mmCIF file of all heavy atoms in Angstrom:
data_model
loop_
_atom_site.group_PDB
_atom_site.id
_atom_site.type_symbol
_atom_site.label_atom_id
_atom_site.label_comp_id
_atom_site.label_asym_id
_atom_site.label_seq_id
_atom_site.Cartn_x
_atom_site.Cartn_y
_atom_site.Cartn_z
ATOM 1 N N GLU N 69 33.933 80.259 -10.452
ATOM 2 C CA GLU N 69 34.708 80.836 -9.447
ATOM 3 C C GLU N 69 34.077 81.188 -8.140
ATOM 4 O O GLU N 69 32.881 81.217 -8.097
ATOM 5 C CB GLU N 69 35.593 82.094 -10.079
ATOM 6 C CG GLU N 69 34.669 83.316 -10.214
ATOM 7 C CD GLU N 69 35.416 84.600 -10.513
ATOM 8 O OE1 GLU N 69 36.151 84.590 -11.483
ATOM 9 O OE2 GLU N 69 35.408 85.529 -9.633
ATOM 10 N N TRP N 141 30.259 82.093 -8.754
ATOM 11 C CA TRP N 141 29.765 82.687 -9.971
ATOM 12 C C TRP N 141 30.180 81.789 -11.167
ATOM 13 O O TRP N 141 31.227 81.155 -11.055
ATOM 14 C CB TRP N 141 30.378 84.023 -10.141
ATOM 15 C CG TRP N 141 30.113 85.047 -9.143
ATOM 16 C CD1 TRP N 141 29.007 85.848 -9.012
ATOM 17 C CD2 TRP N 141 30.773 85.237 -7.953
ATOM 18 N NE1 TRP N 141 29.077 86.577 -7.752
ATOM 19 C CE2 TRP N 141 30.069 86.201 -7.082
ATOM 20 C CE3 TRP N 141 32.003 84.651 -7.333
ATOM 21 C CZ2 TRP N 141 30.528 86.637 -5.880
ATOM 22 C CZ3 TRP N 141 32.438 85.151 -6.192
ATOM 23 C CH2 TRP N 141 31.672 86.197 -5.358
ATOM 24 N N LYS N 142 29.272 81.728 -12.173
ATOM 25 C CA LYS N 142 29.667 80.918 -13.281
ATOM 26 C C LYS N 142 29.533 81.666 -14.523
ATOM 27 O O LYS N 142 28.758 82.613 -14.740
ATOM 28 C CB LYS N 142 28.719 79.664 -13.325
ATOM 29 C CG LYS N 142 27.461 79.987 -13.644
ATOM 30 C CD LYS N 142 26.616 78.608 -13.791
ATOM 31 C CE LYS N 142 25.136 78.791 -13.535
ATOM 32 N NZ LYS N 142 24.661 77.865 -12.417
ATOM 33 N N TRP N 153 28.828 86.034 -18.203
ATOM 34 C CA TRP N 153 28.552 85.817 -16.782
ATOM 35 C C TRP N 153 27.090 85.340 -16.587
ATOM 36 O O TRP N 153 26.279 86.166 -17.093
ATOM 37 C CB TRP N 153 28.968 87.069 -15.988
ATOM 38 C CG TRP N 153 30.409 87.148 -15.770
ATOM 39 C CD1 TRP N 153 31.200 88.007 -16.410
ATOM 40 C CD2 TRP N 153 31.259 86.307 -14.996
ATOM 41 N NE1 TRP N 153 32.528 87.940 -16.056
ATOM 42 C CE2 TRP N 153 32.606 86.829 -15.145
ATOM 43 C CE3 TRP N 153 31.020 85.290 -14.113
ATOM 44 C CZ2 TRP N 153 33.704 86.282 -14.407
ATOM 45 C CZ3 TRP N 153 32.241 84.817 -13.432
ATOM 46 C CH2 TRP N 153 33.483 85.183 -13.654
ATOM 47 N N VAL L 9 37.300 91.880 -5.203
ATOM 48 C CA VAL L 9 36.245 91.997 -6.149
ATOM 49 C C VAL L 9 36.132 90.644 -6.874
ATOM 50 O O VAL L 9 37.017 89.916 -7.067
ATOM 51 C CB VAL L 9 36.275 93.228 -7.055
ATOM 52 C CG1 VAL L 9 36.187 94.491 -6.224
ATOM 53 C CG2 VAL L 9 37.587 93.159 -7.892
ATOM 54 N N PHE L 10 34.937 90.367 -7.478
ATOM 55 C CA PHE L 10 34.904 89.021 -8.149
ATOM 56 C C PHE L 10 34.083 89.193 -9.481
ATOM 57 O O PHE L 10 33.427 90.302 -9.732
ATOM 58 C CB PHE L 10 33.973 88.135 -7.197
ATOM 59 C CG PHE L 10 34.571 87.901 -6.035
ATOM 60 C CD1 PHE L 10 34.333 88.589 -4.747
ATOM 61 C CD2 PHE L 10 35.550 86.874 -5.763
ATOM 62 C CE1 PHE L 10 34.894 88.355 -3.532
ATOM 63 C CE2 PHE L 10 36.243 86.619 -4.509
ATOM 64 C CZ PHE L 10 35.867 87.464 -3.477
ATOM 65 N N ALA L 11 34.103 88.146 -10.245
ATOM 66 C CA ALA L 11 33.337 87.898 -11.502
ATOM 67 C C ALA L 11 33.448 89.210 -12.378
ATOM 68 O O ALA L 11 34.566 89.635 -12.766
ATOM 69 C CB ALA L 11 31.936 87.535 -11.123
ATOM 70 N N ALA L 12 32.281 89.707 -12.802
ATOM 71 C CA ALA L 12 32.324 90.830 -13.758
ATOM 72 C C ALA L 12 33.034 92.101 -13.255
ATOM 73 O O ALA L 12 33.801 92.852 -14.040
ATOM 74 C CB ALA L 12 30.930 91.118 -14.204
ATOM 75 N N VAL L 13 32.835 92.278 -11.939
ATOM 76 C CA VAL L 13 33.556 93.555 -11.364
ATOM 77 C C VAL L 13 35.122 93.364 -11.519
ATOM 78 O O VAL L 13 35.836 94.224 -11.919
ATOM 79 C CB VAL L 13 33.198 93.759 -9.854
ATOM 80 C CG1 VAL L 13 33.820 94.985 -9.349
ATOM 81 C CG2 VAL L 13 31.667 93.807 -9.755
ATOM 82 N N LYS L 14 35.643 92.087 -11.269
ATOM 83 C CA LYS L 14 37.052 91.869 -11.370
ATOM 84 C C LYS L 14 37.505 92.035 -12.785
ATOM 85 O O LYS L 14 38.579 92.490 -13.087
ATOM 86 C CB LYS L 14 37.242 90.450 -10.842
ATOM 87 C CG LYS L 14 38.743 90.021 -10.901
ATOM 88 C CD LYS L 14 38.969 88.712 -10.227
ATOM 89 C CE LYS L 14 38.529 87.493 -11.064
ATOM 90 N NZ LYS L 14 38.852 86.226 -10.554
ATOM 91 N N GLU L 15 36.600 91.565 -13.642
ATOM 92 C CA GLU L 15 36.900 91.619 -15.133
ATOM 93 C C GLU L 15 37.084 93.087 -15.632
ATOM 94 O O GLU L 15 38.124 93.370 -16.202
ATOM 95 C CB GLU L 15 35.895 91.017 -15.942
ATOM 96 C CG GLU L 15 36.344 89.889 -16.856
ATOM 97 C CD GLU L 15 35.235 89.211 -17.456
ATOM 98 O OE1 GLU L 15 34.218 89.823 -18.046
ATOM 99 O OE2 GLU L 15 35.282 87.956 -17.398
ATOM 100 N N VAL L 16 36.168 93.989 -15.103
ATOM 101 C CA VAL L 16 36.229 95.394 -15.468
ATOM 102 C C VAL L 16 37.442 96.034 -14.985
ATOM 103 O O VAL L 16 38.111 96.821 -15.566
ATOM 104 C CB VAL L 16 34.943 96.047 -15.065
ATOM 105 C CG1 VAL L 16 35.040 97.694 -15.287
ATOM 106 C CG2 VAL L 16 33.701 95.542 -15.900
ATOM 107 N N VAL L 76 33.099 92.624 -2.631
ATOM 108 C CA VAL L 76 32.050 93.072 -3.514
ATOM 109 C C VAL L 76 31.416 91.882 -4.150
ATOM 110 O O VAL L 76 32.123 91.296 -5.046
ATOM 111 C CB VAL L 76 32.694 94.069 -4.556
ATOM 112 C CG1 VAL L 76 31.556 94.644 -5.412
ATOM 113 C CG2 VAL L 76 33.185 95.336 -3.714
ATOM 114 N N PRO L 78 28.739 90.436 -6.669
ATOM 115 C CA PRO L 78 27.754 90.412 -7.693
ATOM 116 C C PRO L 78 26.774 89.314 -7.485
ATOM 117 O O PRO L 78 26.925 88.410 -6.677
ATOM 118 C CB PRO L 78 28.578 90.161 -8.985
ATOM 119 C CG PRO L 78 30.001 90.223 -8.611
ATOM 120 C CD PRO L 78 30.088 89.871 -7.208
ATOM 121 N N PRO L 79 25.577 89.474 -8.198
ATOM 122 C CA PRO L 79 24.697 88.367 -8.003
ATOM 123 C C PRO L 79 25.188 87.008 -8.182
ATOM 124 O O PRO L 79 25.914 86.801 -9.217
ATOM 125 C CB PRO L 79 23.504 88.641 -9.147
ATOM 126 C CG PRO L 79 23.801 90.149 -9.330
ATOM 127 C CD PRO L 79 25.235 90.427 -9.123
#
Side-chain angles (χ1 to χ4, degrees):
Chain N
E69 68 169 61
W141 300 273
K142 66 177 159 235
W153 287 104
Chain L
V9 297
F10 300 94
V13 181
K14 181 172 76 176
E15 234 172 48
V16 170
V76 175

